[in-house]
């Protein structure tokens, strides 16, 4: 198997044990503001989450409640022009799109969709709703999506919020299996998004 | 090949685990001493002869059951009926009825046929073959592999060579996903490829197609690879074996051989089946192209659009071109995109997204009033659009 983006390998294959005691995962306590993804994006979760020590990209960070296969939050803080949303693991054959100059809020769902289709190697990815939102004081876009990885019967659902300031991207996404798990923890993910500012 | 490759993995993995090495070596020698005597004409009634082959069949059938349930299979009866009709024209009604056809939505150029008669056609193939004769060329090629028991012969060869270790590298995420991995390890021999090319071309000729279209399929692929490389500023992969094309390298030699065969056996000159193909794909091309567009391969996408536009730039093709340039957004791309959307609208296009694309482009071109007018027109034409709330905000409406 080709070396892939670690995040996506986790998305596709793994349901990692998330006991904080295990190497690689660190507890994020609830009700305390915390800066994520080595940037200025700050959130205050209303539940205890687990942070993965592996960063899919320098400006990215992964959280889960009980395994990335069951629920996953991905943060990106401060992505600039020319950078990719995930690690550009197969740049030669399947390059990910890069953030381009002049992007506006409506471009964020398109950028997210294309990045995911390529990284997950699937055509079964649909954006199901796009609406205006706020990230702190700033204008943002909120969108929903669904996808299945090729060859797998499992459907996943997600929502994301993205904001741009001076061409720099801040994004939070929440992804979980569509049946049961998505709804189960949606409120906790929404609490993170509602608390976000940068 | 996905079905077969996956099956090989499972069967060979099982062999490795259960059988001591010596036993396996003995089996391999036995197999080498008894060259395959396979029935050729009665391929659909072929029954596996030994335990390994029975295992191969069972795994292939299990793979097919998974494929049947996959969300990726396109179930549109009209599209399936059309591709089946082309296949039946080629191989004859009798042989065609036992073949199960699966059209899967994935933007790569590919088709395959498993040992048990399950045929898989990728939507990326249907986007790339430009007429019915070209589709027939690929289907005929795959059918010849099947009828000649090439998969089974490969299975036996792999067993003989004990190259089983290679198969353990598979992870088996799923049937389709395993294909691209399988492709880099597994390919038919050159002889089998030649046989499939000539067999496929003979079927085309007998069915009354212009056989010159066969070499064009591969010529187009080579040109597309050049286009990809030109935009990415890399070296074209057209003469490189490996990756997704490992099973079927689009070599210059293949193009030349097929062109020569076509001279010897021309079929019916001019019978490309362009009209029937365009009619059958009309509804699906925008969907297949959208999948291609989102792969971030501007060179190939632009090439494919130009190929589709040989009969003229229809409104949806102009729309697709606008999307391609708007998403890339380098240099003059946004201004070009705006022009393509306008041309699509002027050509009578009614797709609401023409106004969405142009509106967004015009906002970026600092024409806010024109942009808002377009976005409102989009909402008027597509009141239930998934992005209506966002676009309404940008169009300056109160929600
Ligand atoms: Zn072949």
């Amino acid at each position: 198997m080709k070396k892939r983006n670690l995040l996506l390998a986790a998305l596709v294959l793994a349901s990692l044990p998330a006991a904080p005691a295990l190497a690689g995962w660190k507890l994020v306590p609830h009700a305390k503001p915390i800066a994520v993804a080595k940037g200025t994006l700050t959130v205050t979760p209303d539940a205890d989450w687990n942070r993965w020590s592996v960063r899919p990209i320098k400006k990215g960070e992964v959280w889960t409640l009980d395994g990335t296969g069951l629920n996953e939050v991905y943060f990106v803080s401060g992505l600039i022009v020319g950078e990719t949303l995930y690690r550009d693991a197969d740049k030669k054959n399947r390059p990910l799109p890069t953030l381009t100059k002049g992007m506006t809020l409506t471009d964020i769902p398109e950028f997210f969709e294309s990045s995911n289709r390529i990284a997950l190697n699937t055509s079964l990815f649909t954006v199901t709703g796009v609406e205006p939102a706020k990230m702190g004081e700033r204008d943002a876009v909120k969108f929903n999506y669904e996808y299945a990885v090729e060859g797998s019967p499992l459907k996943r659902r997600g929502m994301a919020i993205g904001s741009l300031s001076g061409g720099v991207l801040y994004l939070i996404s929440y992804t979980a299996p569509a049946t049961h798990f998505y709804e189960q923890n949606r409120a906790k993910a929404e609490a993170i998004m509602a608390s976000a500012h940068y | 090949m996905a079905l077969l490759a996956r099956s090989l993995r499972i069967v060979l993995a099982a062999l490795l685990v259960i059988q001591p090495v010596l036993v396996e070596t003995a089996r391999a020698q036995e197999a080498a001493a008894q060259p395959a005597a396979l029935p050729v004409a009665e391929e659909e009634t072929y029954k596996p002869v030994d335990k390994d082959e029975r295992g191969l069949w069972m795994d292939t059938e299990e793979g097919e059951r998974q494929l049947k349930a996959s969300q990726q299979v396109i179930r549109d009866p009209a599209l399936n009926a059309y591709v089946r009709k082309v296949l039946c024209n080629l191989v004859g009604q009798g042989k065609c009825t036992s073949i199960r056809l699966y059209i899967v939505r994935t933007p790569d150029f590919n088709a395959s046929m498993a040992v048990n008669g399950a045929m898989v056609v990728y939507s990326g193939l249907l986007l790339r073959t430009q007429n019915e004769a070209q589709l027939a060329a690929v289907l005929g090629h795959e059918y010849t592999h099947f009828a000649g028991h090439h998969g089974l012969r490969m299975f036996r060869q792999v067993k003989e060579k004990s190259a089983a270790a290679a198969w353990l590298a598979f992870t088996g995420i799923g049937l389709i996903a395993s294909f691209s991995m399988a492709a880099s390890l597994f390919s038919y021999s050159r002889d089998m490829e030649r046989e499939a090319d000539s067999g496929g071309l003979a079927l085309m000729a007998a069915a009354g197609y212009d056989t010159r279209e066969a070499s064009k399929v591969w010529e187009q692929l080579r040109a597309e690879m050049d286009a990809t490389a030109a935009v990415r500023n890399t070296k074209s992969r057209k003469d490189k074996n490996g990756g997704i094309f490992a099973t079927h390298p689009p070599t210059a030699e293949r193009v030349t051989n097929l062109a020569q065969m076509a001279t010897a056996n021309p079929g019916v000159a001019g019978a490309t089946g362009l009209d029937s193909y365009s009619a059958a794909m009309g509804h699906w091309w925008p969907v297949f192209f959208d999948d291609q567009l989102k792969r971030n391969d501007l060179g190939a996408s632009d090439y494919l659009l130009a190929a589709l536009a040989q009969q003229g730039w229809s409104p949806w093709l102009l729309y697709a071109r606008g999307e391609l340039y708007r998403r890339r957004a380098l240099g003059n791309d946004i201004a070009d995109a705006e022009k393509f959307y306008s041309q699509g609208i002027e050509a009578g296009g009614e797709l609401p997204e023409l106004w969405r694309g142009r509106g967004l482009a015009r906002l970026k071109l600092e024409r806010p009033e024109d942009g808002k007018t377009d976005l409102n027109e989009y909402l008027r034409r597509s009141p239930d659009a998934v992005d209506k709330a966002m676009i309404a905000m940008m169009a300056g409406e109160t929600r």
Side-chain angles (χ1 to χ4, degrees):
Chain A
M1 183 183 167
K2 270 184 193 149
K3 271 181 222 153
R4 283 254 174 90
N5 179 317
L6 283 171
L7 163 72
L8 292 157
L11 271 173
V12 176
L13 294 170
S15 175
L16 294 173
L22 281 174
W25 294 95
K26 211 167 176 173
L27 184 75
V28 183
H30 70 279
K32 271 190 190 165
I34 183 167
V36 292
K38 300 211 161 185
T40 56
L41 181 60
T42 302
V43 298
T44 310
D46 71 352
D48 289 350
W49 285 77
N50 301 285
R51 176 172 64 80
W52 199 9
S53 59
V54 179
R55 290 180 188 282
I57 53 171
K58 268 185 205 157
K59 296 170 179 175
E61 186 168 308
V62 176
W63 289 11
T64 184
L65 289 162
D66 33 31
T68 51
L70 299 181
N71 40 66
E72 179 181 273
V73 171
Y74 182 48
F75 300 96
V76 171
S77 179
L79 206 70
I80 60 168
V81 169
E83 292 184 326
T84 55
L85 193 61
Y86 303 113
R87 196 165 69 83
D88 211 358
D90 190 8
K91 200 173 178 172
K92 239 171 107 185
N93 301 309
R94 306 158 48 78
L96 291 171
T98 55
L99 202 72
T100 50
K101 215 177 116 201
M103 262 197 186
T104 57
L105 291 178
T106 46
D107 296 321
I108 295 176
E110 291 177 359
F111 177 62
F112 186 85
E113 177 180 4
S114 182
S115 299
N116 276 279
R117 278 177 175 243
I118 295 165
L120 294 163
N121 196 19
T122 186
S123 290
L124 304 178
F125 190 109
T126 320
V127 172
T128 54
V130 186
E131 58 188 74
K134 289 279 179 189
M135 195 183 266
E137 302 282 284
R138 321 248 196 175
D139 285 338
V141 60
K142 198 165 182 189
F143 54 100
N144 301 297
Y145 53 92
E146 286 174 359
Y147 71 81
V149 172
E150 294 189 357
S152 161
L154 185 67
K155 196 180 230 179
R156 288 179 198 275
R157 187 169 293 166
M159 62 172 172
I161 185 167
S163 180
L164 283 159
S165 173
V168 179
L169 176 72
Y170 301 83
L171 181 134
I172 305 171
S173 67
Y174 163 68
T175 308
T179 46
H180 180 66
F181 294 102
Y182 178 80
E183 277 305 322
Q184 191 185 33
N185 295 302
R186 187 167 56 91
K188 289 176 186 148
E190 271 174 349
I192 292 176
M193 293 179 188
S195 73
H197 59 91
Y198 63 92
Chain B
M1 281 322 306
L3 293 167
L4 178 60
R6 180 185 164 279
S7 306
L8 274 168
R9 172 182 66 86
I10 292 166
V11 171
L12 292 168
L15 272 177
L16 280 185
V17 173
I18 300 161
Q19 309 287 346
V21 176
L22 279 175
V23 175
E24 223 215 322
T25 310
R27 272 164 177 269
Q29 284 165 347
E30 195 186 347
Q34 297 173 344
L38 299 168
V40 174
E42 297 298 310
E43 57 278 353
E44 56 269 42
T45 56
Y46 177 79
K47 293 279 181 295
V49 295
D50 61 16
K51 191 173 142 237
D52 293 337
E53 286 186 16
R54 278 193 294 276
L56 173 63
W57 250 252
M58 275 172 61
D59 281 329
T60 305
E61 273 154 20
E62 172 55 26
E64 189 179 346
R65 270 192 291 277
Q66 288 178 27
L67 183 62
K68 226 174 245 174
S70 168
Q71 300 173 55
Q72 214 178 338
V73 174
I74 299 174
R75 306 186 197 268
D76 174 22
L79 185 68
N80 278 276
Y82 176 72
V83 176
R84 178 169 285 283
K85 191 195 86 189
V86 176
L87 182 66
C88 294
N89 279 348
L90 274 177
V91 307
Q93 288 297 336
K95 288 173 179 171
C96 147
T97 46
S98 62
I99 300 171
R100 281 90 60 218
L101 175 72
Y102 300 94
I103 303 173
V104 297
R105 191 164 154 194
T106 187
D108 290 313
F109 172 96
N110 226 321
S112 66
M113 198 160 171
V115 288
N116 72 343
M119 183 175 245
V120 180
V121 172
Y122 283 28
S123 59
L125 172 75
L126 299 176
L127 182 66
R128 284 169 174 82
T129 49
Q130 292 176 8
N131 53 46
E132 192 173 301
Q134 293 191 3
L135 173 62
V138 176
L139 298 182
H141 176 105
E142 287 307 320
Y143 181 79
T144 307
H145 278 315
F146 167 73
H149 299 289
H150 293 177
L152 198 56
R153 271 153 61 187
M154 277 298 302
F155 177 72
R156 291 178 175 177
Q157 277 170 20
V158 170
K159 268 171 48 181
E160 283 167 32
K161 287 179 194 156
S162 297
W167 300 105
L168 294 175
F170 290 117
T171 54
I173 298 173
L175 192 63
I176 309 295
S178 65
F179 175 82
S180 53
M181 291 173 246
S184 58
L185 293 169
F186 182 88
S187 60
Y188 290 121
S189 70
R190 291 177 80 118
D191 287 345
M192 288 178 186
E193 280 306 318
R194 239 167 274 153
E195 203 181 313
D197 278 343
S198 66
L201 190 127
L203 288 172
M204 269 179 93
Y209 291 111
D210 187 334
T211 57
R212 285 173 299 185
E213 294 300 319
S215 64
K216 288 186 191 166
V217 173
W218 304 99
E219 245 172 332
Q220 288 156 203
L221 257 184
R222 289 169 66 78
E224 183 188 329
M225 288 167 152
D226 286 348
T228 294
V231 170
R232 287 182 183 164
N233 206 9
T234 54
K235 200 170 171 296
S236 174
R237 296 179 60 81
K238 68 182 175 190
D239 292 317
K240 238 178 119 178
N241 292 355
I244 195 75
F245 295 105
T247 51
H248 292 97
T251 58
E253 186 198 345
R254 188 192 289 269
V255 173
T256 312
N257 287 346
L258 279 168
Q260 278 169 1
M261 288 180 217
T263 310
N265 190 5
V268 178
T272 62
L274 175 65
D275 291 343
S276 54
Y277 193 72
S278 299
M281 296 302 147
H283 164 66
W284 280 103
W285 266 331
V287 177
F288 297 161
F289 188 79
D290 190 58
D291 291 343
Q292 167 65 30
L293 175 75
K294 290 167 179 167
R295 303 179 90 192
N296 192 30
D297 185 351
L298 184 107
S301 298
D302 219 9
Y303 174 84
L304 290 170
L305 270 187
L308 287 167
Q310 276 172 7
Q311 287 85 243
W313 286 91
S314 64
W316 91 259
L317 285 168
L318 289 160
Y319 163 72
R321 201 167 191 202
E323 288 288 286
L324 192 60
Y325 282 75
R326 182 176 64 79
R327 284 160 178 267
R328 182 170 70 163
L330 297 173
N332 286 323
D333 284 349
I334 301 288
D336 286 342
E338 196 270 346
K339 204 175 65 198
F340 297 138
Y341 293 123
S342 289
Q343 288 169 359
I345 290 167
E346 281 155 27
E350 298 195 335
L351 194 67
E353 284 78 7
L354 276 164
W355 282 270
R356 177 187 186 273
R358 190 171 73 173
L360 293 173
R362 286 180 167 179
L363 290 182
K364 288 191 181 177
L365 293 168
E366 291 174 16
R367 293 169 59 182
E369 288 317 309
D370 292 343
K372 285 178 182 180
T373 305
D374 278 347
L375 293 181
N376 279 314
E377 181 63 16
Y378 163 65
L379 292 173
R380 194 183 68 77
R381 288 170 177 261
S382 185
D384 298 320
V386 292
D387 58 353
K388 64 181 175 202
M390 189 69 203
I391 297 296
M393 199 268 286
M394 299 191 76
E397 283 191 359
T398 47
R399 283 191 298 140

